[in-house]
Amino acid sequence: MKPVYLLISLLLITLMACSTMKEMKEKQAMISIIPKPVSVIQHEGQFILDKNSSLEFNSSDKDLISISEYFNSILIKSAGFQLPINNKSSKKIILKLVTEKIGKEGYELNVTDNEVVIKGNDYPGIFYGIESLLQLLPPEIYSKTKVANIEWSIPAATIKDAPKYQWRGMHLDVSRHFFKTDVVKRYIDYLAYHKLNVFHWHLTDDQGWRIEIKKYPKLSEISAWRVDRTGINWNEREQAKQGEKTPYGGFYTQDEVKDVIEYAAKRYITIVPEIEMPGHALAVLAAYPELSCTGGPFMVAGGQYWPITHIFCAGNDDTFTFLENVLDEVMALFPGKYIHIGGDEAAKDEWQKCPKCQARIKAEGLKDEVELQSYFVKRIEKFVASKGKTLIGWDEIIDGGLPERAAVMSWRGMEGGTLAMKEGHDVVMSPYQFVYFDYLQGDKAKEPEGPGAILPLEKVYSFEPMPEGIDKNLQKHLLGGQANVWTEFIPTEARIEYMLFPRIAALSESVWTESSQKDYKDFMKRMDTQRKRYDALKVDYAKTAWGYK
Ligand code: ACM
Ligand code: ZN
């Protein structure tokens, strides 16, 4: 070979090597998993998912069957085919429960040209492996309709992953506005896509009671319905007048509740039901005014009048009988460990004036109405614990003394939760400064109607549930973190989506990913792909963080 050809050949080889490396780099950027896994290593090659692929697993395992059905239910919509099971195909996705240490809710996902292997020590782990597999596929995999002209390629990779916290929660208020079960199920899907595992269902409040209780039919007949003040700012609505028609509302039958619980369970999501007491109870009192301090009459609130001073009477034993009967039915429905009893924002005005409440304070040797609330919560806690469940409440339940076994959800900041952790209580951090998704995502002028406060995406991303500087030996008391969607200003599913997305992605990383792995710039890079997934889902996400583009 002439030296000049040799030179040209060398140049060509170098150029080819560079272009392969460039391609690899480009492919590297293609893997955009949210929340960010512990480790992602991309290899050369890809697995092409098509009709000739199959799923392989122990077919007598009910959970693995359920996980495979879940995967196929997504595939059938967007790809238009489902994978057969255990048909000895040469290209397969293998699901394996293993004993080698991977970690609680963790998974290992290994993709080669002919095989995808998902391993976990438990079913949630394998399920999260499937969620990551979906994110390795083109974003169109989330489409609800069949996508044409697309190659369902999965880049070869090795991914190791496990969550940072055991409580990765999202809450939804269905009292201020009511949402039917199909909306709730889609919401649960969104949680699953982000590897969240707790759905906190805010079922009762001043503006509506949303769960059928067989023993108290008036909760469905009266408490579930309010005046319709649609179109008027939530905070400026005129109070309901006695005798006014109450056409707005709805409730879930117990069969519907069971159906939603089952739907969530298939996605390894536990539902924590919330039954509010002693405050946020006006809807109940509209139906059962005898449980108030004054006797009523009351109407279910059609907007915000603050404070709503009519709360359950703590001096009346019938209040406790009622609540215990309600909780009995609630606890029989929900299989999870935790029962949320609210406990927030209970105005004490009526208790101060009520002879029964004052008699209770005296009889129990309590100092004041704050201690009366503590008496209330402790009495309910005893009942809940007697049924083998654990009470959790908003951080006001600390005031006046916390029941020994209760868990705390800290919303007024991190302080309440930190204090409770120091006293040995389990805690979920949900501080309004970081995770109240009813707050606007940017400038009021550009965002839909809502409360005044602003909570941008980057602020959510900066949420760290662990209190700074807390002792190592107390850290085990932090269960995790949660974001809340209060729906005063959220009348439709589209608005839920707007407020939830993309902040749910930031939350997921705050509760899943190690702090040392978190980086907002890197997150936003991965969000470019995540947006495409939201596009495929056809959810109306906020574009605030991208300058509305
Ligand atoms: C709350 O936001 N009142 C818990
Ligand atoms: Zn009273």
Side-chain angles (χ1 to χ4, degrees):
M1 202 185 275
K2 282 188 182 171
V4 61
Y5 291 137
L6 186 68
L7 203 67
I8 289 169
S9 305
L10 276 173
L11 206 67
L12 274 173
I13 289 167
T14 315
L15 272 172
M16 273 164 64
C18 282
S19 80
T20 319
M21 267 169 60
K22 189 165 165 271
E23 264 171 35
M24 271 299 284
K25 275 230 170 91
E26 273 166 11
K27 273 195 194 149
Q28 212 86 36
M30 266 169 42
I31 295 191
S32 290
I33 296 176
I34 288 180
K36 190 177 186 178
V38 172
S39 80
V40 177
I41 301 167
Q42 189 162 3
H43 312 297
E44 220 167 324
Q46 55 192 341
F47 180 103
I48 307 294
L49 184 75
D50 57 28
K51 283 179 198 154
N52 299 318
S53 326
S54 72
L55 278 160
E56 197 172 289
F57 55 88
N58 171 3
S59 60
S60 60
D61 187 320
K62 279 209 302 261
D63 276 75
L64 294 184
I65 293 171
S66 161
I67 292 170
S68 74
E69 285 171 353
Y70 171 82
F71 184 61
N72 266 335
S73 73
I74 292 172
L75 223 54
I76 187 77
K77 287 186 205 137
S78 51
F81 60 84
Q82 291 186 309
L83 300 187
I85 291 156
N86 296 342
N87 77 344
K88 304 271 190 289
S89 130
S90 60
K91 262 187 5 188
K92 51 198 167 203
I93 298 175
I94 303 168
L95 311 179
K96 253 200 251 181
L97 208 53
V98 296
T99 49
E100 69 194 72
K101 191 165 163 44
I102 288 176
K104 206 167 172 345
E105 296 184 87
Y107 65 92
E108 276 184 28
L109 169 56
N110 202 47
V111 182
T112 58
D113 291 359
N114 292 314
E115 230 174 55
V116 174
V117 183
I118 298 175
K119 294 191 288 190
N121 296 149
D122 49 34
Y123 299 118
I126 293 177
F127 181 77
Y128 298 136
I130 287 285
E131 291 298 342
S132 286
L133 180 62
L134 289 169
Q135 295 197 353
L136 290 180
L137 280 153
E140 290 83 355
I141 196 71
Y142 290 95
S143 170
K144 297 283 165 69
T145 53
K146 195 175 166 194
V147 184
N149 304 321
I150 190 163
E151 185 173 63
W152 299 110
S153 67
I154 304 168
T158 303
I159 298 173
K160 295 186 182 187
D161 203 4
K164 182 178 180 185
Y165 293 117
Q166 59 176 288
W167 185 304
R168 304 180 300 279
M170 267 308 313
H171 144 297
L172 181 66
D173 167 10
V174 294
S175 172
R176 274 52 180 270
H177 283 98
F178 177 62
F179 302 95
K180 294 209 168 101
T181 56
D182 56 338
V183 178
V184 174
K185 285 180 178 177
R186 280 191 283 275
Y187 194 80
I188 287 170
D189 279 339
Y190 302 150
L191 269 59
Y193 298 153
H194 293 84
K195 301 189 178 84
L196 302 179
N197 66 345
V198 176
F199 171 46
H200 173 168
W201 208 356
H202 186 78
L203 288 163
T204 74
D205 216 304
D206 297 307
Q207 290 85 2
W209 179 280
R210 306 293 179 215
I211 177 170
E212 176 194 28
I213 301 295
K214 308 244 189 224
K215 202 168 188 126
Y216 299 106
K218 283 196 279 183
L219 291 173
S220 311
E221 291 156 15
I222 296 172
S223 307
W225 303 96
R226 63 170 163 82
V227 289
D228 191 356
R229 301 265 191 268
T230 304
I232 303 166
N233 183 294
W234 183 263
N235 295 332
E236 291 158 14
R237 293 180 178 189
E238 192 195 340
Q239 288 208 32
K241 293 187 229 9
Q242 278 300 319
E244 223 183 317
K245 283 206 163 52
T246 55
Y248 181 89
F251 64 94
Y252 310 108
T253 64
Q254 292 201 357
D255 281 343
E256 286 177 315
V257 168
K258 281 182 205 159
D259 180 47
V260 172
I261 291 168
E262 203 176 297
Y263 189 87
K266 285 188 176 152
R267 286 148 184 79
Y268 299 92
I269 291 171
T270 302
I271 304 187
V272 175
E274 182 181 353
I275 304 295
E276 276 269 22
M277 63 188 81
H280 289 287
L282 189 59
V284 177
L285 302 181
Y288 300 97
E290 63 274 20
L291 303 179
S292 72
C293 290
T294 62
F298 307 105
M299 292 286 282
V300 177
Q304 194 72 289
Y305 329 112
W306 200 248
I308 291 179
T309 55
H310 294 292
I311 67 175
F312 286 115
C313 177
N316 182 355
D317 280 335
D318 292 347
T319 294
F320 295 94
T321 307
F322 169 86
L323 287 169
E324 289 175 8
N325 286 335
V326 165
L327 288 174
D328 249 343
E329 290 192 33
V330 169
M331 289 189 285
L333 283 168
F334 290 89
K337 172 178 173 188
Y338 291 98
I339 297 293
H340 203 302
I341 58 95
D344 58 319
E345 301 176 314
K348 308 296 187 300
D349 309 50
E350 300 304 328
W351 285 5
Q352 279 164 6
K353 293 182 273 187
C354 170
K356 283 189 205 157
C357 285
Q358 290 305 314
R360 178 84 75 195
I361 287 175
K362 217 179 214 164
E364 297 293 330
L366 307 171
K367 202 168 78 206
D368 54 16
E369 290 74 24
V370 176
E371 285 198 1
L372 182 58
Q373 164 144 343
S374 170
Y375 162 86
F376 195 115
V377 175
K378 281 179 178 158
R379 187 161 163 178
I380 292 293
E381 193 280 335
K382 224 180 249 165
F383 178 74
V384 168
S386 77
K387 306 286 171 170
K389 302 278 189 183
T390 300
L391 179 143
I392 185 165
W394 300 111
D395 58 72
E396 284 93 331
I397 68 169
I398 299 169
D399 307 343
L402 192 56
E404 206 179 307
R405 297 158 289 204
V408 171
M409 188 170 274
S410 194
W411 76 277
R412 293 182 292 181
M414 303 281 281
E415 298 77 17
T418 308
L419 185 72
M421 284 172 74
K422 286 181 180 160
E423 289 176 4
H425 294 270
D426 285 347
V427 165
V428 176
M429 290 294 184
S430 194
Y432 70 88
Q433 298 95 331
F434 291 91
V435 284
Y436 265 36
F437 289 2
D438 53 327
Y439 291 0
L440 302 184
Q441 306 191 58
D443 249 359
K444 203 172 176 167
K446 292 184 181 156
E447 295 292 326
E449 187 184 56
I454 295 178
L455 178 65
L457 183 63
E458 189 165 4
K459 178 89 178 181
V460 179
Y461 194 79
S462 73
F463 173 45
E464 283 295 334
M466 188 62 74
E468 243 173 85
I470 193 148
D471 275 8
K472 267 235 147 36
N473 63 332
L474 295 174
Q475 292 184 1
K476 62 175 185 284
H477 290 302
L478 181 66
L479 300 176
Q482 177 180 295
N484 303 326
V485 176
W486 301 102
T487 57
E488 287 91 340
F489 291 92
I490 304 182
T492 62
E493 183 180 17
R495 187 69 62 79
I496 292 180
E497 288 170 358
Y498 187 86
M499 304 311 278
L500 185 65
F501 295 100
R503 291 186 287 197
I504 186 174
L507 171 80
S508 77
E509 217 137 291
S510 289
V511 293
W512 180 281
T513 307
E514 279 303 330
S515 312
S516 60
Q517 291 271 334
K518 279 176 67 189
D519 173 54
Y520 187 64
K521 265 201 189 131
D522 166 68
F523 168 73
M524 284 309 283
K525 243 192 256 164
R526 282 176 288 120
M527 281 305 288
D528 283 341
T529 309
Q530 188 77 353
R531 287 179 73 174
K532 293 184 185 142
R533 295 179 187 126
Y534 297 161
D535 287 331
L537 280 167
K538 289 204 165 28
V539 295
D540 178 22
Y541 62 93
K543 300 183 178 67
T544 323
W546 295 279
Y548 297 92
K549 286 196 277 286

